[in-house]
Amino acid sequence: MLPEQWNTLERLVQGKEKNVNAALIVDSPWIPPFLNISTAEYLKNPELHFRSNMEIIRKYPEIIFFPGFWVEMGMAAEPSGYGTPVEYYDNQPPTIKHIIEDISEVDRLKPPNPARDGLMPDILKRYRELLPLVRAEGMEINVIAARGPMTLASHLMGVTNFLIGLKTEPELTHRLLKMTTKTVIQWLEAQAEVLPEVQGIFVLDDIMGFLCEEDYLEFAHDYFREIFALPAKLKVLHNDTPNPVSFRFLTDLGIDMFNFSHQVPIPDLRRLVGDRIVLMGNISPLDIMVKGSEEEVYEAAVSCIKQNGGNPRFLLSAGGGVSMGTPESTLGGIIRAISDANSGKIQLR
C-alpha cells in the first residue's frame, strides 16, 4: 500500500488519527471482474496482477485497499497444503473439495510445509515476483494474510462435520485445531520470510462466530491468542458473523483492528470491545454496496460515520470483504462520505 496509507493505519491504532478514513478488503473475487479481466489470468500472471492492483490504487487514492497486493487463491491456499483437490475457473477464484468427512479421520491429515506443499510455494513465488515491482513504485507489501484455524479445519472437512465433531469428539477437535493453528502460524511466518518489510498480519475466520461462549472459550480463544502472539505492529481479525459471543474477548486476543458484520451496530460493538480496537466497518457488502445506488451507499456510509460518534479508532469499510459485482459508483459514494466528514459537512457526534 501507499506509505501514507500505512502511516494512517499506524495512527489509527495509536488513536491519533484525526480524519475519517476508508479501507476496503479486496482480493481476487472483485478486482478482475471490476477491471474486465480474466480471474485465471489475474492469478496466473504476476505482471497483470501488479498492474491491476496499481490501477485500482491510482484511481482511488482516497481508499486504503487492504491488505494490499494480496495473492489470494480463493480459500485454497492453506487447505491445498493438506492435499485437498483444487478446481480452477476462468472467472472466479479456485475452489476446494474436502479431504476428510469425519473428525475420526483427523490422523489421516499430514501437516503441510509451506515451502513445498499445495499452492503455498506458488504463492510465495508470486510474492517474490511482486515485491520488486511494488518497491519500484515506492511501496511495500505491509500486511500478510491467512485463514484462521477454525476456517481451515472447516475447509478440510466441511463446516457441518467440523461443528458436529467439536461437540461429539472434543479431544480429536483439539488435535485438529492444534494442527491447523500451527499451519496458520507457519504460513504467516513463511510469507514474512519472503516479504521482509511486513509489519501486519490479517487473519480471517468466520467459524469462530458459530460458537456459544462455552465452546468459544474451549475451542477458539487460546488458538487465536497463539496466532496473534506473533510479532507485528498491526494485527487484524475478520469475522463477519453477527454472533456477539467473542466480542468481549477480542482485546485479550491482542488484536488492533476488527472487521465485522454489517448486522452489528457500531455502538453495540464498541460497548463490548472497548476503545483500544480499531473498528473496521460496516456497510452492507451486498444489499448496499452491490445492489444500492451511489446515494444509498453515501447514506449508509454517513450512518456508519455518525454511529461511530467521533471515536478516533474507526475505519469506514464494508461489513466484510468487497463482493464481486461492487460497482464504481459504490466507491464514489464512500469517497464522498469521507470527504464530507472531513470537511465538516457531516456532524460526527
Side-chain angles (χ1 to χ4, degrees):
M1 63 183 66
L2 296 166
E4 58 267 30
Q5 293 180 335
W6 174 256
N7 293 338
T8 295
L9 294 179
E10 287 191 312
R11 289 194 302 273
L12 282 165
V13 169
Q14 296 162 0
K16 297 179 179 179
E17 176 60 22
K18 296 180 179 179
N19 289 326
V20 177
N21 296 275
L24 295 175
I25 298 171
V26 297
D27 49 19
S28 55
W30 178 70
I31 294 176
F34 184 78
L35 296 177
N36 295 312
I37 59 176
S38 158
T39 302
E41 286 301 314
Y42 173 83
L43 294 175
K44 210 182 297 181
N45 185 327
E47 289 191 5
L48 179 61
H49 186 162
F50 171 74
R51 290 199 310 271
S52 301
N53 280 263
M54 284 305 304
E55 183 174 345
I56 296 292
I57 290 168
R58 287 170 176 153
K59 192 169 184 179
Y60 305 103
E62 304 91 341
I63 297 176
I64 301 170
F65 292 104
F66 191 86
F69 297 97
W70 188 8
V71 183
E72 205 272 339
M73 299 284 187
M75 306 292 180
E78 300 92 340
S80 71
Y82 285 83
T84 57
V86 180
E87 294 184 347
Y88 296 89
Y89 308 90
D90 286 338
N91 293 306
Q92 69 177 62
T95 60
I96 52 172
K97 293 185 177 180
H98 307 143
I99 196 172
I100 62 174
E101 297 297 329
D102 190 271
I103 194 68
S104 63
E105 301 176 79
V106 65
D107 289 331
R108 286 182 46 208
L109 298 173
K110 180 183 176 183
N113 179 338
R116 66 167 185 257
D117 294 325
L119 291 172
M120 291 187 279
D122 293 333
I123 294 172
L124 295 176
K125 179 176 180 289
R126 171 61 60 83
Y127 278 127
R128 290 189 191 97
E129 295 167 335
L130 283 172
L131 187 57
L133 300 174
V134 172
R135 284 181 164 174
E137 294 290 338
M139 295 183 289
E140 287 287 347
I141 299 178
N142 302 96
V143 182
I144 49 179
R147 307 292 167 181
M150 306 198 88
T151 288
L152 175 52
S154 71
H155 288 159
L156 297 174
M157 61 183 297
V159 175
T160 300
N161 290 339
F162 171 68
L163 293 175
I164 290 172
L166 182 146
K167 299 302 288 185
T168 59
E169 297 287 350
E171 290 185 10
L172 292 179
T173 299
H174 277 295
R175 192 181 305 174
L176 174 59
L177 288 170
K178 286 176 183 177
M179 188 186 310
T180 58
T181 298
K182 184 177 180 181
T183 297
V184 173
I185 291 171
Q186 290 180 334
W187 177 224
L188 290 169
E189 290 175 336
Q191 293 174 74
E193 283 181 13
V194 302
L195 299 169
E197 297 302 317
V198 156
Q199 300 182 71
I201 59 174
F202 179 36
V203 178
L204 305 95
D205 202 308
D206 295 339
I207 307 303
M208 66 189 299
F210 287 34
L211 308 180
C212 66
E213 183 171 318
E214 180 183 0
D215 288 341
Y216 170 80
L217 290 172
E218 178 176 353
F219 293 104
H221 190 72
D222 287 345
Y223 294 115
F224 283 94
R225 238 188 356 179
E226 184 178 353
I227 293 166
F228 284 114
L230 287 168
K233 283 188 176 180
L234 178 67
K235 302 177 183 183
V236 184
L237 174 66
H238 160 92
N239 165 24
D240 61 4
T241 59
N243 180 4
V245 160
S246 66
F247 294 166
R248 67 187 181 91
F249 301 106
L250 293 180
T251 300
D252 188 57
L253 289 182
I255 67 169
D256 302 299
M257 187 180 299
F258 181 47
N259 176 238
F260 57 103
S261 169
H262 67 280
Q263 298 177 16
V264 179
I266 292 170
D268 293 356
L269 179 59
R270 180 61 74 188
R271 280 191 289 270
L272 290 170
V273 306
D275 285 333
R276 197 191 69 79
I277 294 175
V278 177
L279 299 186
M280 182 181 182
N282 65 339
I283 307 169
S284 171
L286 182 60
D287 289 341
I288 299 297
M289 291 184 59
V290 174
K291 299 179 180 179
S293 65
E294 180 171 338
E295 193 59 33
E296 287 171 325
V297 171
Y298 173 82
E299 290 173 0
V302 169
S303 175
C304 290
I305 292 168
K306 289 182 175 180
Q307 284 182 54
N308 177 60
N311 191 301
R313 289 188 171 96
F314 170 71
L315 194 53
L316 180 66
S317 186
V322 175
S323 299
M324 185 183 297
T326 299
E328 188 170 4
S329 59
T330 287
L331 278 67
I334 290 171
I335 291 169
R336 185 155 56 93
I338 60 173
S339 175
D340 285 355
N342 293 327
S343 66
K345 292 181 181 178
I346 297 172
Q347 189 70 33
L348 302 184
R349 296 179 185 273

